[in-house]
Amino acid sequence: MLVLEEQRYIHEDLERLEQGVADRIRDEPKHIRDRLNRDHEISQLLDQIQVQSKNLLDIYQDASGVRSQEIQQIGAGDPFEEFYKQLKDVRDHHARYPNEQAENSEQRYKVKRSDPADHVPSVVDSLFSGEEAYGRFFDLNTCHEAYLNLPGVKRLTYLQYLESFDNFAAGYGGIKRGDKLTDQYFKYLGQLAEYLESVMRRTRPLEDVDKVIASFDKEFETAWENDEVEGWKKEEASTNGPGKPTSSADGVWCDDCEKEFKNENVYKNHLTGRKHVKAAEQRKQRLDESSGPSNAVGTVSATRFKERAVAEREHRVKRLASAMSTERSDTRVNVERKQGMTERERQQELDNLLNVPDGPQETFDDGDGEDEDGEERIYNPLKLPLAWDGKPIPFWLYRLHGLGVEFPCEVCGNFVYMGRRAFDKHFNEARHVYGLKCLGITNTALFRDITGIEEALKLWEKIQREKKKNKIDDSSMVQMEDGEGNVMPEKVYYDLQKQGLL
């Protein structure tokens, strides 16, 4: 292909790529699978734009001089002679390849509309597991098993692990600072960080994940140089007075054991135990390695180098978990919800998720079973609440949570709450608190389970009367002293005097 023709072809291809991106951005699919598929297609088109733009820049730079030579050849010679020469080259090419198919470049990057009845595989079908539900939830079962296989850790359930997998505080979960330097723990951190990073890449294809990871690493570098990484500051020789704050005033923290003790006596008694002696020796060994002759100017000890590698992975896990806090909270809710489901219901939910039809959410039938937006009407004669997927919850779950029982609240304007759980939660919500404040009640914590206005007002009046009764009378503050030097209130003094006891 001639250089100028290749240049023209790349310009045309770039315009069609931009049009393909615009067509996909204009669409707004309703299902998360279709949205992710659209984002991944846009990401692939943007990568193609980068490649073609680089090729076009190379042509314009013309390092070999072929482009300028071709322009000079066209402008200096006979134009008809050059035209027929190129025409001869085109005919020779087609004579050499007579069965070559001509590609329709207009259809190359257009959005493909498939029949909803035909399940056509999309880009995201092979990217997520069934537990992840197209990136809505985490699937940390493998990481949870690796965590349980670590030596000395506390046995946490999967739900507890979801809440604390990014908590790397010293001694939390039974893992001490010295235990974190093992190869098994380092491998577990790498597996966890790699999974979280892969989830971010799969669920956010239009974001520059490499730039986000680089910002995390830069933030860690700054904190490490300033010795501000939590849990990985340079160790100092232990003293009798622990420097770490404790949960109670009498608590004592042991730097060697990385454990808090209730009081000073318990702390002193444990100093002679084998665990403390062993932990103190290990900590002293780490201090000697970090402050020994190998830690000269410009060098880093092997122990400190290991600590830095482990701390870097822990920091990355923390930042990735905080960046995907929505998916994490949704995962906890989903795990709790699935614990109340049978195996058949779980499998049915997974099948319904994976069998979502492709294509636009449009319908051409004006039957009775569809609404104005073209969505199918859900058959729900019992008026059951809808689950996260827009379908009614099972009737046994409706009966289990008592969602058919009505709980009216007069303070909330006779609002009716369905189910005991919603009724108990509403006492801390803004509607109930506002209703109590309209009645002149300020201390709302004492009015739990009170729904009637008259009952609330009576209780508030009783509380006010008791407050006034408990107020200290000014006369009781006057102190009197008898002949023997006994001090008593004025009222008591006069009562004893009337009885002749003084």
Side-chain angles (χ1 to χ4, degrees):
M1 184 183 294
L2 299 176
V3 176
L4 293 180
E5 173 61 22
E6 183 180 358
Q7 177 181 329
R8 184 209 62 79
Y9 170 77
I10 293 177
H11 275 292
E12 179 188 0
D13 196 46
L14 286 174
E15 291 183 1
R16 298 196 183 282
L17 284 167
E18 292 175 359
Q19 185 61 40
V21 172
D23 293 341
R24 286 164 174 81
I25 291 178
R26 193 182 301 116
D27 293 339
E28 191 60 38
K30 296 182 179 180
H31 196 267
I32 185 174
R33 172 177 177 268
D34 299 328
R35 288 197 299 270
L36 270 177
N37 189 56
R38 178 203 63 181
D39 292 345
H40 277 277
E41 288 181 355
I42 292 175
S43 178
Q44 292 176 358
L45 293 180
L46 292 176
D47 293 340
Q48 185 68 14
I49 288 177
Q50 293 288 336
V51 173
Q52 292 289 60
S53 299
K54 184 177 181 300
N55 295 334
L56 189 60
L57 284 175
D58 294 340
I59 292 176
Y60 275 112
Q61 290 175 358
D62 193 20
S64 60
V66 178
R67 179 173 174 271
S68 59
Q69 182 180 356
E70 186 174 332
I71 294 175
Q72 183 179 3
Q73 184 179 359
I74 293 175
D78 186 7
F80 288 101
E81 181 181 353
E82 186 67 24
F83 170 76
Y84 284 114
K85 180 182 178 182
Q86 294 185 12
L87 178 62
K88 181 177 179 299
D89 293 339
V90 172
R91 287 177 175 174
D92 291 343
H93 175 80
H94 286 287
R96 197 178 304 114
Y97 305 102
N99 297 325
E100 185 177 5
Q101 294 289 335
E103 183 181 4
N104 187 0
S105 57
E106 294 183 1
Q107 302 294 330
R108 188 185 307 162
Y109 304 118
K110 280 192 173 182
V111 182
K112 295 179 176 60
R113 304 290 186 182
S114 58
D115 187 4
D118 300 333
H119 182 71
V120 180
S122 60
V123 178
V124 298
D125 285 341
S126 59
L127 293 180
F128 299 97
S129 64
E131 185 73 19
E132 291 174 332
Y134 296 111
R136 292 186 60 204
F137 313 120
F138 289 155
D139 186 6
L140 292 172
N141 288 287
T142 305
C143 297
H144 179 228
E145 293 178 1
Y147 172 80
L148 294 179
N149 289 329
L150 295 175
V153 299
K154 294 182 180 179
R155 307 294 295 182
L156 300 178
T157 63
Y158 184 57
L159 192 60
Q160 293 172 336
Y161 177 75
L162 288 173
E163 296 177 355
S164 61
F165 70 84
D166 61 339
N167 188 350
F168 301 108
Y172 183 83
I175 303 179
K176 300 178 182 179
R177 180 168 176 170
D179 299 335
K180 293 183 178 181
L181 303 180
T182 59
D183 294 338
Q184 188 176 358
Y185 183 77
F186 186 74
K187 183 179 179 182
Y188 157 73
L189 282 180
Q191 181 181 358
L192 181 58
E194 182 180 357
Y195 173 77
L196 294 176
E197 183 179 344
S198 70
V199 171
M200 179 175 283
R201 293 184 184 277
R202 287 177 290 161
T203 56
R204 305 176 185 181
L206 299 182
E207 291 188 13
D208 192 354
V209 180
D210 293 331
K211 185 177 180 181
V212 175
I213 299 297
S215 66
F216 295 163
D217 295 341
K218 185 177 180 181
E219 179 182 345
F220 171 77
E221 292 285 348
T222 305
W224 185 263
E225 291 177 359
N226 299 331
D227 197 20
E228 297 176 353
V229 180
E230 184 179 358
W232 293 101
K233 296 181 180 180
K234 292 182 179 179
E235 291 184 304
E236 299 177 356
S238 59
T239 58
N240 294 331
K244 184 170 181 177
T246 55
S247 58
S248 61
D250 298 333
V252 180
W253 177 264
C254 179
D255 290 330
D256 296 329
C257 300
E258 297 181 9
K259 185 178 179 182
E260 179 183 350
F261 296 90
K262 293 183 179 180
N263 51 53
E264 187 74 21
N265 294 329
V266 179
Y267 170 75
K268 291 181 178 178
N269 290 332
H270 101 285
L271 294 177
T272 56
R274 288 187 299 175
K275 290 185 178 180
H276 175 80
V277 174
K278 184 179 179 180
E281 292 177 355
Q282 293 177 353
R283 185 166 183 267
K284 183 179 178 182
Q285 183 179 0
R286 293 197 305 269
L287 287 172
D288 294 339
E289 291 179 358
S290 60
S291 61
S294 62
N295 194 18
V297 179
T299 61
V300 181
S301 65
T303 304
R304 192 61 178 168
F305 185 78
K306 289 181 181 179
E307 290 179 349
R308 186 185 185 282
V310 175
E312 183 178 5
R313 289 195 173 182
E314 288 185 352
H315 181 268
R316 181 175 296 185
V317 170
K318 288 181 182 179
R319 301 294 289 129
L320 288 171
S322 63
M324 295 183 289
S325 58
T326 303
E327 289 84 352
R328 181 180 183 178
S329 60
D330 291 344
T331 303
R332 289 201 298 265
V333 174
N334 183 55
V335 171
E336 291 178 348
R337 183 181 60 85
K338 282 192 172 183
Q339 287 177 351
M341 298 172 62
T342 62
E343 183 63 28
R344 180 181 178 184
E345 289 173 338
R346 295 195 193 101
Q347 188 62 36
Q348 184 178 3
E349 178 183 296
L350 182 61
D351 294 341
N352 293 337
L353 179 67
L354 297 178
N355 294 331
V356 175
D358 292 338
Q361 303 291 331
E362 300 178 1
T363 54
F364 302 96
D365 187 9
D366 296 334
D368 298 334
E370 300 176 0
D371 55 13
E372 296 177 356
D373 297 333
E375 298 179 352
E376 292 187 5
R377 291 181 181 176
I378 300 174
Y379 181 69
N380 189 12
L382 299 178
K383 305 297 182 183
L384 299 176
L386 301 181
W388 62 271
D389 56 354
K391 297 181 180 180
I393 64 174
F395 186 70
W396 66 266
L397 188 61
Y398 176 82
R399 293 286 302 275
L400 178 65
H401 290 286
L403 299 180
V405 183
E406 297 181 354
F407 293 91
C409 181
E410 189 179 2
V411 176
C412 298
N414 293 323
F415 190 85
V416 179
Y417 295 91
M418 304 303 294
R420 185 73 192 183
R421 182 179 181 184
F423 176 72
D424 291 338
K425 288 176 63 178
H426 99 280
F427 289 106
N428 297 326
E429 295 177 354
R431 186 200 302 269
H432 190 80
V433 174
Y434 177 74
L436 291 175
K437 288 184 178 180
C438 290
L439 297 176
I441 300 172
T442 56
N443 189 3
T444 59
L446 302 175
F447 289 80
R448 189 175 181 83
D449 293 332
I450 294 179
T451 58
I453 294 177
E454 184 178 357
E455 186 180 2
L457 290 175
K458 287 182 179 180
L459 179 57
W460 181 247
E461 291 175 359
K462 182 180 179 181
I463 293 174
Q464 296 301 317
R465 288 197 303 268
E466 291 180 354
K467 280 186 177 180
K468 293 179 180 179
K469 187 185 299 183
N470 293 332
K471 282 186 177 180
I472 301 175
D473 190 8
D474 294 337
S475 61
S476 64
M477 299 300 294
V478 180
Q479 303 292 328
M480 305 292 289
E481 184 177 357
D482 59 4
E484 298 179 358
N486 298 319
V487 180
M488 63 194 72
E490 182 182 14
K491 184 180 179 180
V492 176
Y493 178 82
Y494 287 121
D495 290 342
L496 294 176
Q497 191 179 38
K498 290 178 182 179
Q499 297 176 12
L501 299 177
L502 292 179

